[in-house]
Amino acid sequence: MKVCFFVWLFVFSIAKADDQPVKIEKAWLQAVPQVASATAAYMTIRNVSPLHLTLVKGTSEIASMVEPMITTVQKHQGHETMGMSTVKGLDIPAGGIVELKPGGDHLMLMGLLKHPKEGDRVKLNLVFEPGNREVSLFVDVLKQEPQ
Amino acid sequence: MTYAVKAARGFGTSRLRSFIVAGALLLALGASFVFSRYTAYQQVQQKFYGQALVPDSQAYDFKLVDQEGHSFRLDQLRGKLVLFSFGFTHCPNVCPTTLSDLGKVYRSLPERERAKVQVVFISVDPQRDKPELLKNYVPYFDKSFIGLTGSPEQIAQTAKAYGAYYEKVHTPGEDPDVYFMDHSAFIYLISPDSRWKLIYNFDQLHQTQKMVGDIERILG
């Protein structure tokens, strides 16, 4: 009986780890005006797999392009300039965390096909390498970062 | 010979002494000037959450175009406290964050103060941000907010006057119409008597109550 339980636990934990290489928390999408062409999704991604993961891209029904972006800070004539740039992927070491937050690294949704209204729930699919593994989640559309 | 050397030495020493005294005096004067400026700065700065400009300066009276397509000058807002930032509507991250934070600050003000505050968003992307687009974008964050655009020259002049910087960045291998704008992300506070008083980094806007405190202090 006991052995059975441990076998079950073992199988279950493998299956679970296999299902979700990451644990995603505090996910939300910035609500933007109807005319906006782009917005961003924010979340905390915890890598619960034993592998080094890279978030390479995303997909969503509401945008033609979903890409991880990093925020860059450059100095121009002594002034800090915020910019962003596309990256091949966002690295998350095994057991590590990546925080996507307003003003920082983020998941950009460009070419909005459907307007994300405040109060909507939007499905996002994130793709991680290695293994081209897809993780789906629903994010709330909010006007303001939750406290 | 000995005498001459002595004389020279004597002369040298007294001259050196007066140099030292003069130098020390200058240094003390300079130090007290710097110190007085510093304490003046400290006195102003400790009153505010934002970065204070000491002394404050006359706010540059920009001439731009509002979201209705009419020409718009900063001077039209004399009598109101103005908070403005630079950005562009195709911006996914920094600009919506800035505007939604400013919306929260604005709505946290008591009604009496709110009537004396105007938030303005100045586009650094006149190629895409036409008045019509701004009209449908900026008031989303609060219906009182005003979006401004203008000719590339008008915008460049305004940005220069406030030490703002922006640059078009093309994403490699993409459509030439697909580009981002790198830009400095500051928020400028102009007092009702058109003095440029404070500057904020965009991530300071998160602290709603501290922002409200600065606004209330300036409106007195």
Side-chain angles (χ1 to χ4, degrees), chain A residues 30-33 35 37-40 42 69 71 76 79-84 102-104 106 108 110 143-145 147, chain B residues 90-94 96-97 100-101 104 107 133 136-137 140-141 163 165 167 178 180 182-186 201-202 206:
Chain A
Q30 172 74 55
V32 284
V35 291
S37 65
T39 187
Y42 305 106
M69 301 288 282
T71 296
H76 287 282
H79 294 286
E80 268 188 6
T81 306
M82 306 282 301
M84 53 182 183
H106 56 281
M108 180 182 68
M110 243 182 110
K143 224 169 166 174
Q144 207 94 47
E145 182 179 13
Q147 293 296 309
Chain B
H90 287 66
C91 165
N93 181 27
V94 171
T97 303
S100 65
D101 283 348
K104 197 174 175 198
R107 288 186 291 275
L133 179 52
N136 288 307
Y137 186 88
Y140 174 82
F141 297 93
Y165 180 90
E167 189 183 15
V178 177
F180 301 124
D182 276 2
H183 61 97
S184 47
F186 297 115
N201 203 345
F202 88 100
H206 272 328

Side-chain angles (χ1 to χ4, degrees), chain A residues 13-24:
Chain A
S13 62
I14 287 178
K16 197 152 174 36
D18 225 12
D19 282 344
Q20 290 284 37
V22 293
K23 208 174 151 209
I24 297 174

Side-chain angles (χ1 to χ4, degrees), chain B residues 63-82:
Chain B
K63 294 159 201 70
L64 296 164
V65 176
D66 72 10
Q67 57 201 22
E68 304 295 335
H70 303 136
S71 75
F72 192 98
R73 298 178 68 139
L74 175 63
D75 244 18
Q76 285 170 239
L77 297 174
R78 189 174 269 272
K80 282 197 172 190
L81 182 153
V82 179

Side-chain angles (χ1 to χ4, degrees), chain A residues 110, chain B residues 127-128 168-180:
Chain A
M110 243 182 110
Chain B
Q127 186 182 328
R128 294 184 296 195
K168 193 184 276 189
V169 181
H170 287 281
T171 36
E174 300 266 349
D175 188 327
D177 285 336
V178 177
Y179 58 86
F180 301 124

